[in-house]
mmCIF file of all heavy atoms in Angstrom:
data_model
loop_
_atom_site.group_PDB
_atom_site.id
_atom_site.type_symbol
_atom_site.label_atom_id
_atom_site.label_comp_id
_atom_site.label_asym_id
_atom_site.label_seq_id
_atom_site.Cartn_x
_atom_site.Cartn_y
_atom_site.Cartn_z
ATOM 1 N N PHE A 1 25.534 -1.053 21.506
ATOM 2 C CA PHE A 1 24.417 -0.652 20.742
ATOM 3 C C PHE A 1 24.452 -1.287 19.337
ATOM 4 O O PHE A 1 25.394 -1.060 18.640
ATOM 5 C CB PHE A 1 24.251 0.888 20.664
ATOM 6 C CG PHE A 1 23.975 1.495 21.940
ATOM 7 C CD1 PHE A 1 25.040 1.986 22.774
ATOM 8 C CD2 PHE A 1 22.663 1.730 22.427
ATOM 9 C CE1 PHE A 1 24.774 2.613 24.029
ATOM 10 C CE2 PHE A 1 22.402 2.287 23.632
ATOM 11 C CZ PHE A 1 23.464 2.740 24.438
ATOM 12 N N VAL A 2 23.394 -1.991 18.970
ATOM 13 C CA VAL A 2 23.296 -2.561 17.671
ATOM 14 C C VAL A 2 22.239 -1.835 16.900
ATOM 15 O O VAL A 2 21.010 -1.825 17.316
ATOM 16 C CB VAL A 2 23.091 -4.095 17.738
ATOM 17 C CG1 VAL A 2 22.870 -4.686 16.331
ATOM 18 C CG2 VAL A 2 24.101 -4.794 18.544
ATOM 19 N N LYS A 3 22.574 -1.209 15.793
ATOM 20 C CA LYS A 3 21.632 -0.483 15.027
ATOM 21 C C LYS A 3 20.651 -1.377 14.392
ATOM 22 O O LYS A 3 21.096 -2.363 13.697
ATOM 23 C CB LYS A 3 22.313 0.442 14.024
ATOM 24 C CG LYS A 3 21.331 1.236 13.147
ATOM 25 C CD LYS A 3 21.994 2.185 12.230
ATOM 26 C CE LYS A 3 21.005 2.916 11.337
ATOM 27 N NZ LYS A 3 20.016 3.669 12.143
ATOM 28 N N ARG A 4 19.392 -1.139 14.551
ATOM 29 C CA ARG A 4 18.425 -1.955 13.863
ATOM 30 C C ARG A 4 18.475 -1.619 12.407
ATOM 31 O O ARG A 4 18.625 -0.439 11.977
ATOM 32 C CB ARG A 4 17.022 -1.623 14.350
ATOM 33 C CG ARG A 4 16.869 -1.860 15.859
ATOM 34 C CD ARG A 4 15.484 -1.595 16.376
ATOM 35 N NE ARG A 4 15.129 -0.227 16.118
ATOM 36 C CZ ARG A 4 13.859 0.299 16.351
ATOM 37 N NH1 ARG A 4 12.917 -0.572 16.666
ATOM 38 N NH2 ARG A 4 13.554 1.506 16.069
ATOM 39 N N THR A 5 18.263 -2.637 11.604
ATOM 40 C CA THR A 5 18.280 -2.419 10.096
ATOM 41 C C THR A 5 17.045 -2.898 9.487
ATOM 42 O O THR A 5 16.399 -3.851 9.855
ATOM 43 C CB THR A 5 19.505 -3.278 9.483
ATOM 44 O OG1 THR A 5 19.281 -4.597 9.790
ATOM 45 C CG2 THR A 5 20.795 -2.731 10.034
ATOM 46 N N ALA A 6 16.694 -2.155 8.426
ATOM 47 C CA ALA A 6 15.480 -2.560 7.599
ATOM 48 C C ALA A 6 15.967 -3.415 6.423
ATOM 49 O O ALA A 6 16.548 -2.941 5.458
ATOM 50 C CB ALA A 6 14.817 -1.338 7.019
ATOM 51 N N SER A 7 15.853 -4.748 6.594
ATOM 52 C CA SER A 7 16.372 -5.680 5.614
ATOM 53 C C SER A 7 15.394 -6.658 5.056
ATOM 54 O O SER A 7 15.820 -7.656 4.460
ATOM 55 C CB SER A 7 17.562 -6.502 6.297
ATOM 56 O OG SER A 7 17.092 -7.135 7.428
ATOM 57 N N ILE A 8 14.115 -6.451 5.298
ATOM 58 C CA ILE A 8 13.050 -7.306 4.763
ATOM 59 C C ILE A 8 12.363 -6.536 3.639
ATOM 60 O O ILE A 8 11.903 -5.411 3.778
ATOM 61 C CB ILE A 8 12.021 -7.736 5.844
ATOM 62 C CG1 ILE A 8 12.703 -8.652 6.881
ATOM 63 C CG2 ILE A 8 10.857 -8.478 5.140
ATOM 64 C CD1 ILE A 8 11.803 -9.099 7.949
ATOM 65 N N LEU A 9 12.273 -7.163 2.450
ATOM 66 C CA LEU A 9 11.621 -6.579 1.298
ATOM 67 C C LEU A 9 10.232 -7.205 1.117
ATOM 68 O O LEU A 9 10.121 -8.504 1.277
ATOM 69 C CB LEU A 9 12.474 -6.739 0.042
ATOM 70 C CG LEU A 9 13.604 -5.806 -0.272
ATOM 71 C CD1 LEU A 9 14.577 -5.747 0.950
ATOM 72 C CD2 LEU A 9 14.293 -6.253 -1.543
ATOM 73 N N HIS A 10 9.264 -6.446 0.832
ATOM 74 C CA HIS A 10 7.950 -6.994 0.352
ATOM 75 C C HIS A 10 7.803 -6.446 -1.043
ATOM 76 O O HIS A 10 7.675 -5.274 -1.368
ATOM 77 C CB HIS A 10 6.793 -6.498 1.165
ATOM 78 C CG HIS A 10 5.476 -7.090 0.618
ATOM 79 N ND1 HIS A 10 4.518 -6.262 -0.057
ATOM 80 C CD2 HIS A 10 4.974 -8.328 0.679
ATOM 81 C CE1 HIS A 10 3.472 -7.000 -0.379
ATOM 82 N NE2 HIS A 10 3.703 -8.280 0.072
ATOM 83 N N ALA A 11 7.931 -7.395 -2.037
ATOM 84 C CA ALA A 11 7.853 -7.056 -3.471
ATOM 85 C C ALA A 11 6.451 -7.447 -3.990
ATOM 86 O O ALA A 11 6.066 -8.594 -3.919
ATOM 87 C CB ALA A 11 8.922 -7.784 -4.229
ATOM 88 N N ASP A 12 5.797 -6.489 -4.624
ATOM 89 C CA ASP A 12 4.361 -6.684 -4.985
ATOM 90 C C ASP A 12 4.181 -6.114 -6.364
ATOM 91 O O ASP A 12 4.369 -4.906 -6.571
ATOM 92 C CB ASP A 12 3.452 -5.999 -3.993
ATOM 93 C CG ASP A 12 2.003 -6.432 -4.156
ATOM 94 O OD1 ASP A 12 1.701 -7.249 -5.020
ATOM 95 O OD2 ASP A 12 1.166 -5.877 -3.433
ATOM 96 N N LEU A 13 3.899 -6.974 -7.329
ATOM 97 C CA LEU A 13 3.628 -6.521 -8.764
ATOM 98 C C LEU A 13 2.413 -5.686 -8.779
ATOM 99 O O LEU A 13 1.371 -5.975 -8.086
ATOM 100 C CB LEU A 13 3.486 -7.808 -9.642
ATOM 101 C CG LEU A 13 4.742 -8.508 -9.958
ATOM 102 C CD1 LEU A 13 4.575 -9.936 -10.306
ATOM 103 C CD2 LEU A 13 5.615 -7.775 -11.054
ATOM 104 N N ASP A 14 2.378 -4.619 -9.544
ATOM 105 C CA ASP A 14 1.268 -3.678 -9.604
ATOM 106 C C ASP A 14 0.246 -4.121 -10.576
ATOM 107 O O ASP A 14 0.491 -4.324 -11.740
ATOM 108 C CB ASP A 14 1.777 -2.306 -9.981
ATOM 109 C CG ASP A 14 2.870 -1.749 -8.996
ATOM 110 O OD1 ASP A 14 2.660 -1.899 -7.872
ATOM 111 O OD2 ASP A 14 3.894 -1.197 -9.483
ATOM 112 N N SER A 15 -1.046 -4.205 -10.068
ATOM 113 C CA SER A 15 -2.211 -4.606 -10.906
ATOM 114 C C SER A 15 -1.815 -5.755 -11.879
ATOM 115 O O SER A 15 -1.821 -5.600 -13.087
ATOM 116 C CB SER A 15 -2.694 -3.367 -11.690
ATOM 117 O OG SER A 15 -3.169 -2.389 -10.852
ATOM 118 N N PHE A 16 -1.354 -6.782 -11.256
ATOM 119 C CA PHE A 16 -0.573 -7.787 -12.021
ATOM 120 C C PHE A 16 -1.186 -8.257 -13.319
ATOM 121 O O PHE A 16 -0.600 -8.076 -14.420
ATOM 122 C CB PHE A 16 -0.342 -8.971 -11.127
ATOM 123 C CG PHE A 16 0.488 -10.148 -11.750
ATOM 124 C CD1 PHE A 16 1.556 -9.951 -12.563
ATOM 125 C CD2 PHE A 16 -0.033 -11.462 -11.575
ATOM 126 C CE1 PHE A 16 2.252 -10.970 -13.117
ATOM 127 C CE2 PHE A 16 0.663 -12.477 -12.143
ATOM 128 C CZ PHE A 16 1.793 -12.279 -12.920
ATOM 129 N N TYR A 17 -2.388 -8.809 -13.303
ATOM 130 C CA TYR A 17 -3.076 -9.334 -14.486
ATOM 131 C C TYR A 17 -3.173 -8.229 -15.536
ATOM 132 O O TYR A 17 -2.879 -8.344 -16.771
ATOM 133 C CB TYR A 17 -4.379 -9.934 -14.175
ATOM 134 C CG TYR A 17 -4.379 -11.148 -13.383
ATOM 135 C CD1 TYR A 17 -5.587 -11.762 -12.965
ATOM 136 C CD2 TYR A 17 -3.180 -11.798 -13.004
ATOM 137 C CE1 TYR A 17 -5.614 -12.978 -12.206
ATOM 138 C CE2 TYR A 17 -3.194 -12.928 -12.245
ATOM 139 C CZ TYR A 17 -4.406 -13.540 -11.844
ATOM 140 O OH TYR A 17 -4.387 -14.629 -11.075
ATOM 141 N N ALA A 18 -3.692 -7.092 -15.086
ATOM 142 C CA ALA A 18 -3.907 -5.951 -16.060
ATOM 143 C C ALA A 18 -2.580 -5.453 -16.617
ATOM 144 O O ALA A 18 -2.475 -5.132 -17.825
ATOM 145 C CB ALA A 18 -4.632 -4.755 -15.352
ATOM 146 N N SER A 19 -1.564 -5.438 -15.790
ATOM 147 C CA SER A 19 -0.213 -5.041 -16.267
ATOM 148 C C SER A 19 0.373 -5.985 -17.325
ATOM 149 O O SER A 19 0.960 -5.569 -18.295
ATOM 150 C CB SER A 19 0.738 -4.931 -15.135
ATOM 151 O OG SER A 19 0.450 -3.838 -14.303
ATOM 152 N N VAL A 20 0.063 -7.304 -17.150
ATOM 153 C CA VAL A 20 0.511 -8.254 -18.163
ATOM 154 C C VAL A 20 -0.241 -8.027 -19.484
ATOM 155 O O VAL A 20 0.330 -8.013 -20.613
ATOM 156 C CB VAL A 20 0.239 -9.749 -17.710
ATOM 157 C CG1 VAL A 20 0.496 -10.683 -18.825
ATOM 158 C CG2 VAL A 20 1.144 -10.047 -16.500
ATOM 159 N N GLU A 21 -1.527 -7.662 -19.383
ATOM 160 C CA GLU A 21 -2.279 -7.384 -20.598
ATOM 161 C C GLU A 21 -1.746 -6.113 -21.237
ATOM 162 O O GLU A 21 -1.601 -6.132 -22.507
ATOM 163 C CB GLU A 21 -3.756 -7.252 -20.241
ATOM 164 C CG GLU A 21 -4.404 -8.454 -19.655
ATOM 165 C CD GLU A 21 -4.410 -9.634 -20.629
ATOM 166 O OE1 GLU A 21 -4.240 -9.496 -21.834
ATOM 167 O OE2 GLU A 21 -4.611 -10.790 -20.168
ATOM 168 N N GLN A 22 -1.406 -5.095 -20.472
ATOM 169 C CA GLN A 22 -0.911 -3.864 -21.090
ATOM 170 C C GLN A 22 0.448 -4.118 -21.651
ATOM 171 O O GLN A 22 0.864 -3.443 -22.675
ATOM 172 C CB GLN A 22 -0.930 -2.739 -20.018
ATOM 173 C CG GLN A 22 -2.368 -2.276 -19.694
ATOM 174 C CD GLN A 22 -2.381 -1.262 -18.574
ATOM 175 O OE1 GLN A 22 -1.596 -1.394 -17.599
ATOM 176 N NE2 GLN A 22 -3.196 -0.222 -18.740
ATOM 177 N N ARG A 23 1.311 -4.940 -21.023
ATOM 178 C CA ARG A 23 2.593 -5.243 -21.520
ATOM 179 C C ARG A 23 2.494 -5.921 -22.961
ATOM 180 O O ARG A 23 3.228 -5.610 -23.833
ATOM 181 C CB ARG A 23 3.328 -6.192 -20.547
ATOM 182 C CG ARG A 23 4.757 -6.582 -21.012
ATOM 183 C CD ARG A 23 5.229 -7.788 -20.221
ATOM 184 N NE ARG A 23 4.475 -9.000 -20.484
ATOM 185 C CZ ARG A 23 4.732 -10.223 -19.977
ATOM 186 N NH1 ARG A 23 5.695 -10.296 -19.079
ATOM 187 N NH2 ARG A 23 3.989 -11.241 -20.284
ATOM 188 N N ASP A 24 1.567 -6.890 -23.012
ATOM 189 C CA ASP A 24 1.517 -7.696 -24.214
ATOM 190 C C ASP A 24 0.787 -7.060 -25.363
ATOM 191 O O ASP A 24 0.873 -7.409 -26.554
ATOM 192 C CB ASP A 24 0.830 -9.065 -23.869
ATOM 193 C CG ASP A 24 1.743 -9.902 -22.934
ATOM 194 O OD1 ASP A 24 2.940 -9.537 -22.773
ATOM 195 O OD2 ASP A 24 1.260 -10.918 -22.371
ATOM 196 N N ASP A 25 -0.049 -5.935 -25.055
ATOM 197 C CA ASP A 25 -0.787 -5.291 -26.072
ATOM 198 C C ASP A 25 -0.551 -3.807 -25.884
ATOM 199 O O ASP A 25 -1.235 -3.146 -25.088
ATOM 200 C CB ASP A 25 -2.242 -5.618 -25.956
ATOM 201 C CG ASP A 25 -3.092 -4.911 -27.124
ATOM 202 O OD1 ASP A 25 -2.486 -4.099 -27.890
ATOM 203 O OD2 ASP A 25 -4.258 -5.249 -27.196
ATOM 204 N N PRO A 26 0.380 -3.191 -26.603
ATOM 205 C CA PRO A 26 0.692 -1.744 -26.464
ATOM 206 C C PRO A 26 -0.539 -0.878 -26.558
ATOM 207 O O PRO A 26 -0.551 0.240 -26.000
ATOM 208 C CB PRO A 26 1.749 -1.504 -27.491
ATOM 209 C CG PRO A 26 2.359 -2.802 -27.780
ATOM 210 C CD PRO A 26 1.272 -3.787 -27.627
ATOM 211 N N ALA A 27 -1.547 -1.281 -27.326
ATOM 212 C CA ALA A 27 -2.739 -0.434 -27.497
ATOM 213 C C ALA A 27 -3.507 -0.214 -26.238
ATOM 214 O O ALA A 27 -4.371 0.658 -26.083
ATOM 215 C CB ALA A 27 -3.665 -1.084 -28.574
ATOM 216 N N LEU A 28 -3.217 -1.087 -25.241
ATOM 217 C CA LEU A 28 -3.932 -0.998 -23.971
ATOM 218 C C LEU A 28 -3.207 -0.098 -22.968
ATOM 219 O O LEU A 28 -3.776 0.259 -21.899
ATOM 220 C CB LEU A 28 -4.100 -2.393 -23.347
ATOM 221 C CG LEU A 28 -4.891 -3.385 -24.088
ATOM 222 C CD1 LEU A 28 -4.923 -4.760 -23.401
ATOM 223 C CD2 LEU A 28 -6.346 -2.900 -24.306
ATOM 224 N N ARG A 29 -2.002 0.301 -23.243
ATOM 225 C CA ARG A 29 -1.248 1.079 -22.262
ATOM 226 C C ARG A 29 -1.871 2.481 -22.131
ATOM 227 O O ARG A 29 -2.157 3.207 -23.021
ATOM 228 C CB ARG A 29 0.197 1.166 -22.739
ATOM 229 C CG ARG A 29 0.931 -0.191 -22.730
ATOM 230 C CD ARG A 29 2.305 -0.175 -23.353
ATOM 231 N NE ARG A 29 2.798 -1.527 -23.546
ATOM 232 C CZ ARG A 29 3.899 -1.802 -24.147
ATOM 233 N NH1 ARG A 29 4.643 -0.840 -24.675
ATOM 234 N NH2 ARG A 29 4.238 -3.134 -24.337
ATOM 235 N N GLY A 30 -1.963 2.825 -20.794
ATOM 236 C CA GLY A 30 -2.518 4.119 -20.476
ATOM 237 C C GLY A 30 -4.076 4.156 -20.520
ATOM 238 O O GLY A 30 -4.668 5.195 -20.250
ATOM 239 N N ARG A 31 -4.652 3.068 -20.825
ATOM 240 C CA ARG A 31 -6.116 3.024 -20.880
ATOM 241 C C ARG A 31 -6.675 2.173 -19.730
ATOM 242 O O ARG A 31 -5.950 1.365 -19.147
ATOM 243 C CB ARG A 31 -6.544 2.267 -22.248
ATOM 244 C CG ARG A 31 -6.137 3.062 -23.456
ATOM 245 C CD ARG A 31 -6.511 2.240 -24.708
ATOM 246 N NE ARG A 31 -7.945 2.246 -24.889
ATOM 247 C CZ ARG A 31 -8.526 1.547 -25.904
ATOM 248 N NH1 ARG A 31 -7.734 0.819 -26.743
ATOM 249 N NH2 ARG A 31 -9.849 1.487 -25.969
ATOM 250 N N PRO A 32 -7.928 2.439 -19.287
ATOM 251 C CA PRO A 32 -8.556 1.637 -18.218
ATOM 252 C C PRO A 32 -8.865 0.212 -18.710
ATOM 253 O O PRO A 32 -9.595 0.030 -19.683
ATOM 254 C CB PRO A 32 -9.803 2.413 -17.908
ATOM 255 C CG PRO A 32 -10.175 3.151 -19.117
ATOM 256 C CD PRO A 32 -8.780 3.539 -19.781
ATOM 257 N N VAL A 33 -8.266 -0.768 -18.100
ATOM 258 C CA VAL A 33 -8.348 -2.128 -18.573
ATOM 259 C C VAL A 33 -8.779 -3.034 -17.400
ATOM 260 O O VAL A 33 -8.404 -2.815 -16.201
ATOM 261 C CB VAL A 33 -6.962 -2.619 -19.083
ATOM 262 C CG1 VAL A 33 -6.988 -4.126 -19.373
ATOM 263 C CG2 VAL A 33 -6.487 -1.816 -20.227
ATOM 264 N N ALA A 34 -9.642 -4.024 -17.691
ATOM 265 C CA ALA A 34 -10.036 -4.983 -16.668
ATOM 266 C C ALA A 34 -9.854 -6.410 -17.385
ATOM 267 O O ALA A 34 -10.220 -6.592 -18.504
ATOM 268 C CB ALA A 34 -11.455 -4.822 -16.280
ATOM 269 N N ALA A 35 -9.244 -7.321 -16.620
ATOM 270 C CA ALA A 35 -9.191 -8.715 -17.073
ATOM 271 C C ALA A 35 -10.359 -9.472 -16.460
ATOM 272 O O ALA A 35 -10.620 -9.340 -15.272
ATOM 273 C CB ALA A 35 -7.851 -9.253 -16.685
ATOM 274 N N GLY A 36 -10.960 -10.281 -17.270
ATOM 275 C CA GLY A 36 -12.065 -11.081 -16.721
ATOM 276 C C GLY A 36 -13.155 -11.297 -17.820
ATOM 277 O O GLY A 36 -12.858 -11.783 -18.875
ATOM 278 N N GLY A 37 -14.337 -10.883 -17.502
ATOM 279 C CA GLY A 37 -15.464 -11.156 -18.382
ATOM 280 C C GLY A 37 -16.635 -11.648 -17.494
ATOM 281 O O GLY A 37 -16.589 -12.691 -16.919
ATOM 282 N N GLY A 38 -17.637 -10.747 -17.394
ATOM 283 C CA GLY A 38 -18.764 -11.011 -16.443
ATOM 284 C C GLY A 38 -18.387 -10.518 -15.082
ATOM 285 O O GLY A 38 -19.174 -9.658 -14.516
ATOM 286 N N VAL A 39 -17.277 -10.825 -14.573
ATOM 287 C CA VAL A 39 -16.755 -10.367 -13.251
ATOM 288 C C VAL A 39 -15.345 -9.842 -13.466
ATOM 289 O O VAL A 39 -14.548 -10.469 -14.133
ATOM 290 C CB VAL A 39 -16.804 -11.442 -12.188
ATOM 291 C CG1 VAL A 39 -16.160 -10.905 -10.863
ATOM 292 C CG2 VAL A 39 -18.224 -11.879 -11.935
ATOM 293 N N VAL A 40 -15.016 -8.720 -12.839
ATOM 294 C CA VAL A 40 -13.665 -8.101 -12.958
ATOM 295 C C VAL A 40 -12.735 -8.966 -12.096
ATOM 296 O O VAL A 40 -12.905 -9.040 -10.835
ATOM 297 C CB VAL A 40 -13.648 -6.622 -12.469
ATOM 298 C CG1 VAL A 40 -12.171 -6.176 -12.473
ATOM 299 C CG2 VAL A 40 -14.522 -5.797 -13.444
ATOM 300 N N LEU A 41 -11.695 -9.559 -12.701
ATOM 301 C CA LEU A 41 -10.672 -10.328 -11.925
ATOM 302 C C LEU A 41 -9.511 -9.405 -11.522
ATOM 303 O O LEU A 41 -8.849 -9.677 -10.568
ATOM 304 C CB LEU A 41 -10.223 -11.504 -12.805
ATOM 305 C CG LEU A 41 -11.214 -12.533 -13.240
ATOM 306 C CD1 LEU A 41 -10.604 -13.629 -13.964
ATOM 307 C CD2 LEU A 41 -11.956 -13.062 -11.952
ATOM 308 N N ALA A 42 -9.172 -8.371 -12.409
ATOM 309 C CA ALA A 42 -8.208 -7.429 -12.016
ATOM 310 C C ALA A 42 -8.378 -6.227 -12.855
ATOM 311 O O ALA A 42 -8.921 -6.254 -13.996
ATOM 312 C CB ALA A 42 -6.759 -8.074 -12.411
ATOM 313 N N ALA A 43 -7.999 -5.069 -12.312
ATOM 314 C CA ALA A 43 -8.198 -3.762 -13.012
ATOM 315 C C ALA A 43 -6.885 -2.993 -12.965
ATOM 316 O O ALA A 43 -6.143 -3.042 -12.039
ATOM 317 C CB ALA A 43 -9.223 -2.956 -12.261
ATOM 318 N N SER A 44 -6.606 -2.326 -14.088
ATOM 319 C CA SER A 44 -5.456 -1.415 -14.098
ATOM 320 C C SER A 44 -5.671 -0.255 -13.260
ATOM 321 O O SER A 44 -6.738 0.096 -12.862
ATOM 322 C CB SER A 44 -5.137 -0.957 -15.577
ATOM 323 O OG SER A 44 -6.247 -0.139 -16.013
ATOM 324 N N TYR A 45 -4.515 0.495 -12.985
ATOM 325 C CA TYR A 45 -4.655 1.665 -12.162
ATOM 326 C C TYR A 45 -5.476 2.789 -12.823
ATOM 327 O O TYR A 45 -6.215 3.505 -12.147
ATOM 328 C CB TYR A 45 -3.276 2.221 -11.805
ATOM 329 C CG TYR A 45 -2.709 1.526 -10.678
ATOM 330 C CD1 TYR A 45 -1.824 0.428 -10.793
ATOM 331 C CD2 TYR A 45 -3.012 1.901 -9.350
ATOM 332 C CE1 TYR A 45 -1.274 -0.228 -9.686
ATOM 333 C CE2 TYR A 45 -2.499 1.193 -8.256
ATOM 334 C CZ TYR A 45 -1.601 0.164 -8.436
ATOM 335 O OH TYR A 45 -1.085 -0.484 -7.321
ATOM 336 N N GLU A 46 -5.497 2.753 -14.181
ATOM 337 C CA GLU A 46 -6.324 3.771 -14.869
ATOM 338 C C GLU A 46 -7.792 3.424 -14.622
ATOM 339 O O GLU A 46 -8.629 4.375 -14.500
ATOM 340 C CB GLU A 46 -6.068 3.686 -16.381
ATOM 341 C CG GLU A 46 -4.647 4.119 -16.779
ATOM 342 C CD GLU A 46 -3.639 3.001 -16.682
ATOM 343 O OE1 GLU A 46 -3.984 1.938 -16.185
ATOM 344 O OE2 GLU A 46 -2.467 3.259 -17.195
ATOM 345 N N ALA A 47 -8.108 2.135 -14.510
ATOM 346 C CA ALA A 47 -9.529 1.699 -14.189
ATOM 347 C C ALA A 47 -9.880 1.968 -12.733
ATOM 348 O O ALA A 47 -11.000 2.400 -12.360
ATOM 349 C CB ALA A 47 -9.745 0.349 -14.601
ATOM 350 N N LYS A 48 -8.880 1.690 -11.890
ATOM 351 C CA LYS A 48 -9.130 1.870 -10.450
ATOM 352 C C LYS A 48 -9.496 3.342 -10.052
ATOM 353 O O LYS A 48 -10.208 3.606 -9.077
ATOM 354 C CB LYS A 48 -7.874 1.393 -9.688
ATOM 355 C CG LYS A 48 -7.685 -0.082 -9.653
ATOM 356 C CD LYS A 48 -6.488 -0.486 -8.871
ATOM 357 C CE LYS A 48 -6.246 -1.946 -8.865
ATOM 358 N NZ LYS A 48 -5.072 -2.439 -8.118
#
């Protein structure tokens, strides 16, 4: 008997563009943020 193992990782950055904006501008942290202009390209979890 060979025990099956869970050895595949799926790594996914959270709200990537918006998280970069919040990282680089502390004033945006915890606030609803959208990257784009005209059309939303990415939204923070606060905005979602």
Side-chain angles (χ1 to χ4, degrees):
F1 291 93
V2 179
K3 181 174 175 57
R4 301 182 302 172
T5 58
S7 57
I8 295 178
L9 278 53
H10 180 254
D12 192 1
L13 289 156
D14 300 317
S15 295
F16 178 45
Y17 292 176
S19 292
V20 172
E21 298 298 341
Q22 291 176 319
R23 178 197 68 179
D24 293 349
D25 184 354
L28 298 177
R29 296 171 190 172
R31 300 176 67 184
V33 175
V39 175
V40 174
L41 300 181
S44 68
Y45 277 94
E46 295 86 352
K48 289 179 180 179

